[in-house]
Amino acid sequence: MFFLISFVMMSLTSFAQEGHHGLDYGINLGYGFKVGTEGDDGRPLASLNVGKRFNEHFYVGGEFGVIISSLRTGKEETRYLPLLAVGRVYSNNSKVSPFTEGKVGFIFNTQADNGGQAHQIGFAISEGLAIKASNKFDIDLSAGYGHMFGLEHTGSKGCILLTAGFKCHF
C-alpha cells in the first residue's frame, strides 16, 4: 500500500511549484494520553508516511503505523495498525512553518479475532510546527486530539496526541 501511495503521488508531481519538488517521506513517534477511559494510561505510537506538498500551503499524503495499548496495565498488549489519509495546511513557507493537520482512516486491530475490540475508524486533528533543518529535512512537532470508533458498536476512545517527526524531501 505504501508503494501504491508513492506511485500515485509521483504521478502528481507536475503540480508542484518552485522550491519544493517530489515526495516527502517521514517517520513520526508519539504518545496518546487517553481521555475519559479508565484502566489504561496511554499509548505509544510510531508511523511511516509519504506525501506531496503541492505548494507552500497544501500537503496530502498517507500514513501507516502501529499503536500499542496496555503496556503497563498487566493486560495483554493490543497492537492497532492505522492506515490513514493525511491533509495538512501550512500558514507560510518560512524556516518555522505553523500547520494544521487532519487524518482519517481505518485502524486494524491485531487482536480482533482473539476477543479484542473490533477494527475501528479513526480521525485526528492537530496543530504543529514544521522546522526546516535543511533544504532536504524537516522536523515536525505537533499536539492534537485523536478519536477511534468501533465498527461493531464497541464504543469509542479519545486521546491527546503529542508527536515528533522527521521528513525528507526528494
Side-chain angles (χ1 to χ4, degrees), residues 5 16 48-49 59 69 71 85 97-98 103 116 118-119 127 132 136 145-146 163:
I5 292 170
L48 299 172
N49 55 60
Y59 169 93
S69 70
L71 283 179
S97 300
K103 299 178 182 182
H119 304 302
E127 297 285 329
K132 287 185 184 178
K136 295 288 183 184
Y145 178 76
T163 60

Side-chain angles (χ1 to χ4, degrees), residues 16-56:
Q17 294 192 1
E18 292 298 318
H20 192 90
H21 299 284
L23 295 176
D24 293 350
Y25 294 92
I27 184 168
N28 294 324
L29 299 173
Y31 199 81
F33 298 92
K34 293 181 79 175
V35 176
T37 305
E38 294 182 23
D40 194 353
D41 58 353
R43 298 181 168 163
L45 55 100
S47 63
L48 299 172
N49 55 60
V50 62
K52 175 75 180 141
R53 190 163 172 176
F54 291 99
N55 60 37
E56 68 180 47

Side-chain angles (χ1 to χ4, degrees), residues 32-110:
F33 298 92
K34 293 181 79 175
V35 176
T37 305
E38 294 182 23
D40 194 353
D41 58 353
R43 298 181 168 163
L45 55 100
S47 63
L48 299 172
N49 55 60
V50 62
K52 175 75 180 141
R53 190 163 172 176
F54 291 99
N55 60 37
E56 68 180 47
H57 297 290
F58 298 106
Y59 169 93
V60 176
E63 184 172 290
F64 178 75
V66 64
I67 303 168
I68 303 172
S69 70
S70 302
L71 283 179
R72 291 183 274 200
T73 62
K75 298 178 186 175
E76 182 178 355
E77 286 184 7
T78 301
R79 288 179 181 84
Y80 298 94
L81 304 175
L83 181 60
L84 306 168
V86 180
R88 186 181 277 191
V89 177
Y90 294 89
S91 64
N92 61 43
N93 194 23
S94 63
K95 184 156 177 77
V96 178
S97 300
F99 64 82
T100 300
E101 181 176 73
K103 299 178 182 182
V104 64
F106 193 74
I107 301 170
F108 300 93
N109 182 348
T110 61

